[in-house]
Amino acid sequence: MDDAEPLNREDTLSMKENQNIEWKKSWRDEYIKWICGFANAAGGTLVIGKNDKGVVTGVANAKKLLEDIPNKVRDILGIIVDVNLKTDKGKDFLEIMVEPYPYPVSYKGQYHYRSGSTKQELKGAALDKFLLQKQGKCWDAVPVPKVTVVGFKNDSFELFRKNAARSGRISEEVLAESNAMLIENLQLKENSYLKRAAVLLFHHDPEQHVTGAYVKIGFFETDADLLYQDEVHGNLFEQADKTLDLLLTKYLRAYISYEGISRVEKYPFPKEALREALLNAIVHKDYSGGVPIQISVYEDKIIFWNSGQLPENWTVGRLFEKHASMPYNPLIANAFFRAGLIEAWGRGIYKIISECETFGAAPPKFNCDFSGLMVEFGAKSEEVSGKTSGKTREKTREKTREKILKLILVDASISIEEMSNRIGITQKGIEWQIMRLKKEKMLERIGPAKGGYWKIIKE
């Protein structure tokens, strides 16, 4: 425009209240980076001739810049911006209006992005994510070269089929087809390439292709004192199953009480809420970060953490309201839904809170920052104190070890599977207890798994 427009008070207030605005006292060509950042984000306004408090200081040769800036932006960024000349109390300043662009805008090979009140140059995983979003793709839908169904575990497919048949969310005809056709039906293939989601869901070793795709668990006495830890590897279905099993058999102390002749086992946390938190972490994790899911267990609390972000413009408070399902990894979420492991209506947080209420525990604390999402469960107070009138409590671990030794006294050749059936805990739980008994030199195995026997060293 040729004539400067006077700025009224409403313009000033609205500009101050708009977070998509940047004030600069004078023009420099490097500020085209800021324009690039606005174009790649939600758009915004770059004002030339104001200080960092929003006070108009004026700009020299404003009319020349009015012509030069649009041309430089077009030549360097390949986009069109509106530049308006305004005046306030006799001082000229420029407003550069930048629209959001649906495709990536590059400044000399660099990609800048406006986040809050700062400009960032995107690199590495952040740049990959940005470029995928601009293309309308998600991370888990990217094709992976040199990977075939041959390298996938048939056990993983069979586990999926079993769960999916139980859920009834896939027809029997589809489940009866080959593994390759099942991959097609789950939309895990693009042309001749398998997608990242397929690798994470069914490959025998996903970490060959995705760094950090595992779960780490640790038991802490204090934040600084780690007593022991484990890592759970394998595909995502295996991780979900093994991690929950490990939590319940090794990391969480269940208390046994007797009400009349009935034996009652109680954990200090609601099991279904923990399961839902674990599944949410696996499905919504940002796998591009190369960092494992981390579960920190304490005597009185348990914390789940996964890298990732909430959907754009969401806050933690939005999670507690009714909301649509917007999974970070849609293909992974679809497979877990078909297997009956999660719902498809954005009800995960509601289910966690509901299970806590039913259990009589306080709802968990949720926290989201730039690095990821954290969910913290507090133990039910009476379970931590171990005080319940009229009930005798024992630690499950100690009781289980006694049962294992008694079974071996009766039958030294008893199998782990039979111990599991007799005692009523998983085979993984039995294996862990036996490992501890061996370590404490209370038990040893003589001979092979088949044909050998157990020897109790001390009772």
Side-chain angles (χ1 to χ4, degrees):
M1 55 179 294
D2 295 329
D3 298 323
E5 297 179 2
L7 187 71
N8 60 39
R9 181 168 176 77
E10 287 187 4
D11 288 337
T12 304
L13 289 174
S14 64
M15 299 275 276
K16 286 181 179 179
E17 293 171 354
N18 186 353
Q19 67 175 357
N20 297 326
I21 187 167
E22 182 80 19
W23 292 319
K24 298 294 182 183
K25 291 180 67 175
S26 60
W27 171 257
R28 297 178 185 174
D29 285 352
E30 69 178 276
Y31 293 153
I32 295 176
K33 296 177 184 178
W34 273 255
I35 295 173
C36 177
F38 281 131
N40 283 328
T45 303
L46 179 62
V47 180
I48 308 300
K50 284 188 177 184
N51 63 21
D52 57 7
K53 294 182 179 179
V55 177
V56 176
T57 58
V59 61
N61 61 350
K63 290 192 175 181
K64 184 176 186 302
L65 290 174
L66 192 63
E67 297 180 4
D68 289 349
I69 291 174
N71 291 332
K72 289 181 178 180
V73 171
R74 181 197 61 211
D75 293 344
I76 295 175
L77 301 183
I79 65 174
I80 304 300
V81 296
D82 291 328
V83 182
N84 300 319
L85 175 60
K86 297 206 171 186
T87 184
D88 182 38
K89 297 178 181 179
K91 295 179 179 179
D92 292 339
F93 66 96
L94 299 174
E95 281 185 2
I96 305 172
M97 316 295 292
V98 186
E99 295 292 327
Y101 271 70
Y103 56 82
V105 176
S106 166
Y107 171 85
K108 299 180 180 180
Q110 301 173 352
Y111 292 90
H112 297 270
Y113 191 85
R114 179 78 171 187
S115 179
S117 60
T118 62
K119 177 195 71 65
Q120 303 171 0
E121 181 185 349
L122 299 176
K123 297 180 179 180
L127 177 57
D128 290 342
K129 176 185 173 185
F130 165 75
L131 294 175
L132 285 172
Q133 287 178 337
K134 287 295 184 179
Q135 297 171 43
K137 283 190 173 184
C138 295
W139 181 91
D140 66 343
V142 174
V144 182
K146 299 181 180 179
V147 178
T148 66
V149 179
V150 175
F152 288 11
K153 293 183 66 172
N154 191 61
D155 290 349
S156 303
F157 287 101
E158 293 309 311
L159 176 61
F160 175 82
R161 287 186 172 93
K162 178 182 177 181
N163 289 331
R166 189 187 303 120
S167 73
R169 293 172 178 171
I170 296 184
S171 68
E172 294 181 3
E173 290 79 7
V174 171
L175 292 177
E177 293 178 343
S178 67
N179 293 344
M181 285 304 300
L182 186 59
I183 288 286
E184 296 267 8
N185 282 303
L186 290 172
Q187 301 177 13
L188 299 177
K189 192 174 183 181
E190 182 175 308
N191 299 322
S192 60
Y193 295 104
L194 295 173
K195 298 178 181 179
R196 285 171 172 165
V199 172
L200 287 169
L201 291 165
F202 296 108
H203 197 278
H204 72 280
D205 184 10
E207 290 171 72
Q208 289 183 10
H209 303 276
V210 184
T211 302
Y214 65 96
V215 180
K216 180 184 289 187
I217 313 174
F219 189 91
F220 293 80
E221 189 171 33
T222 68
D223 288 344
D225 297 319
L226 173 64
L227 299 185
Y228 50 90
Q229 63 180 331
D230 287 282
E231 293 180 358
V232 181
H233 300 269
N235 63 60
L236 298 190
F237 293 122
E238 291 175 327
Q239 288 182 32
D241 186 46
K242 292 178 181 177
T243 300
L244 187 62
D245 185 59
L246 197 58
L247 280 174
L248 296 179
T249 58
K250 178 176 178 179
Y251 281 83
L252 299 186
R253 178 180 297 171
Y255 293 91
I256 301 170
S257 63
Y258 294 91
E259 296 176 354
I261 61 172
S262 300
R263 167 181 161 142
V264 180
E265 284 191 7
K266 290 186 178 180
Y267 287 95
F269 307 96
K271 289 191 292 184
E272 286 304 311
L274 298 184
R275 173 184 178 276
E276 195 67 31
L278 172 63
L279 293 173
N280 277 351
I282 290 174
V283 169
H284 296 292
K285 176 189 169 181
D286 178 2
Y287 286 92
S288 68
V291 182
I293 293 170
Q294 297 170 28
I295 304 175
S296 304
V297 184
Y298 299 77
E299 190 70 30
D300 60 346
K301 64 182 178 182
I302 180 169
I303 301 170
F304 291 79
W305 179 90
N306 65 277
S307 59
Q309 300 82 38
L310 294 175
E312 191 171 359
N313 299 322
W314 280 38
T315 63
V316 170
R318 178 75 180 274
L319 296 175
F320 300 99
E321 304 170 357
K322 184 174 178 59
H323 58 270
S325 176
M326 297 182 65
Y328 192 84
N329 301 295
L331 294 175
I332 293 173
N334 178 61
F336 270 67
F337 169 74
R338 300 297 173 189
L341 299 175
I342 63 172
E343 299 297 328
W345 294 95
R347 296 179 62 246
I349 302 299
Y350 171 79
K351 287 181 67 177
I352 289 173
I353 295 173
S354 177
E355 289 293 339
C356 288
E357 290 177 351
T358 302
F359 188 73
K365 300 175 185 176
F366 294 84
N367 181 47
C368 185
D369 58 23
F370 68 93
S371 65
L373 181 67
M374 182 180 294
V375 184
E376 178 180 331
F377 294 87
K380 190 175 179 181
S381 57
E382 76 168 26
E383 307 302 337
V384 173
S385 66
K387 296 176 181 178
T388 305
S389 58
K391 298 180 181 180
T392 302
R393 292 181 177 260
E394 300 169 298
K395 296 177 184 177
T396 296
R397 301 174 197 168
E398 296 174 357
K399 195 72 174 178
T400 301
R401 288 166 62 162
E402 293 175 12
K403 290 182 177 180
I404 290 173
L405 294 173
K406 287 180 180 178
L407 289 174
I408 290 173
L409 279 173
V410 175
D411 180 6
S413 61
I414 189 171
S415 67
I416 288 177
E417 181 180 4
E418 188 173 350
M419 290 186 205
S420 172
N421 294 333
R422 297 277 293 274
I423 296 175
I425 67 172
T426 64
Q427 292 187 40
K428 290 291 182 183
I430 296 292
E431 288 171 356
W432 184 79
Q433 297 288 2
I434 288 175
M435 179 189 72
R436 300 299 301 176
L437 288 168
K438 288 180 177 179
K439 189 172 182 179
E440 295 172 16
K441 301 192 182 302
M442 296 178 66
L443 183 68
E444 67 175 312
R445 179 72 183 181
I446 307 298
K450 291 185 177 180
Y453 63 92
W454 303 103
K455 179 180 178 182
I456 297 175
I457 302 172
K458 63 177 181 179
E459 298 180 32

